[in-house]
Amino acid sequence: MSKKRILVTGGAGFLGTNLCRRLLDDGNHIISLDNYLSGLKRNVAIFEDHPDYEFIEHDIIDPIDLQIDEIYNLACAGSPPKYQADPIHTTKTNVYGVINMLELAKRNDAKIMQASTSEVYGDPEVHPQVESYHGNVNTHGIRSCYDEGKRCAESLCFDYMRRFGVKIKVARIFNTYGPYMDAEDGRVVSNFIVQAINGKSPTIYGDGSQTRSFCYVDNLIDAFVRLMASRDDFYGPVNTGNPGEFTVKELAEKVIDMTAANVEVTYHPLPQDDPTVRCPDITLAQKELGWTPDISLEKGLVKTIEYFKSIN
Ligand code: UDP
């Protein structure tokens, strides 16, 4: 069988870099595309000499024509400070950008996996979150460019499937961490680790009682590959996350402990619309993808701390 030509948008980002690595290891030809809004040139450089890796600097809000068999549409800043920096561009990425990728999938008769998010649940009133829960999103808050953008992206995927038969797969990604995260992107795991290894105090927003469920990136990437290979009439949306739930304060304490940092946490104001709880129900992923994340927070943090020390 000839190699699959796979497009990874957001290929220079955290998830994109880990996904490119996995797909190259599996023997595919990769076209990685990124506008470097939150992706890093350093991540692209890793694959520079790989004969099956091509990189195109491009923003998906502009159309592009390529010959491909599959698309993983990961393009969009995922960290709140990054996606809020240019909120209108964030919405365009999730509307114009997703239309462009769905049109590309349609022209190529290619499968497309859309990176959706746990943010579609907003500040959830159902806990843990099941895919059938429709969410509690503020339509005009500072997170809405991302939350509503990603909700609209899901809607576009399903309409392209119903109207044109585009082969869609929708993954709702929960908080993920691991190597190739940007040390500066402002997310909680990277912030705490980088702060602790530099002898600075981890910055807890609010009182630290809000919860998140953290999935190690290798487990998440495995879910993506399984989802792409799932039966044709399984579209999702499917939760992809680790159901282990921790408070932000617990995370800070773990990181301080594991880095043996001689620091105390500091408390800062909680950003607007910050969800109070978040935890995936992964029954559907277990049933349809045979997937259960098996890397514990401790194990994943060891690898992530090693990574940040190596680039510090
Ligand atoms: N957070 C924090 N300190 C930080 C960065 C984030 O306490 O330095 C909190 C943030 O307010 C949120 C949680 O950690 O409650 C997760 O934040 P992140 O930005 O990683 O992702 P989110 O789940 O909010 O999209």
Side-chain angles (χ1 to χ4, degrees), residues 80 119 143 175 187-188 191 203 205 210 212 248 274 278:
E119 297 265 336
R143 291 176 91 103
N175 296 64
R187 269 184 274 209
V188 70
N191 272 8
T203 49
Y205 302 161
Q210 69 272 37
R212 293 293 187 273
V248 164
D274 200 281
R278 184 181 290 155

Side-chain angles (χ1 to χ4, degrees), residues 7 33 56 58-60 62-66 100-101 104 107:
L7 173 64
L33 190 152
I56 303 171
H58 178 82
D59 190 322
I60 62 163
D62 297 316
I64 188 163
D65 209 11
L66 296 165
N100 287 331
M101 290 304 110
L104 183 62
R107 284 198 298 279

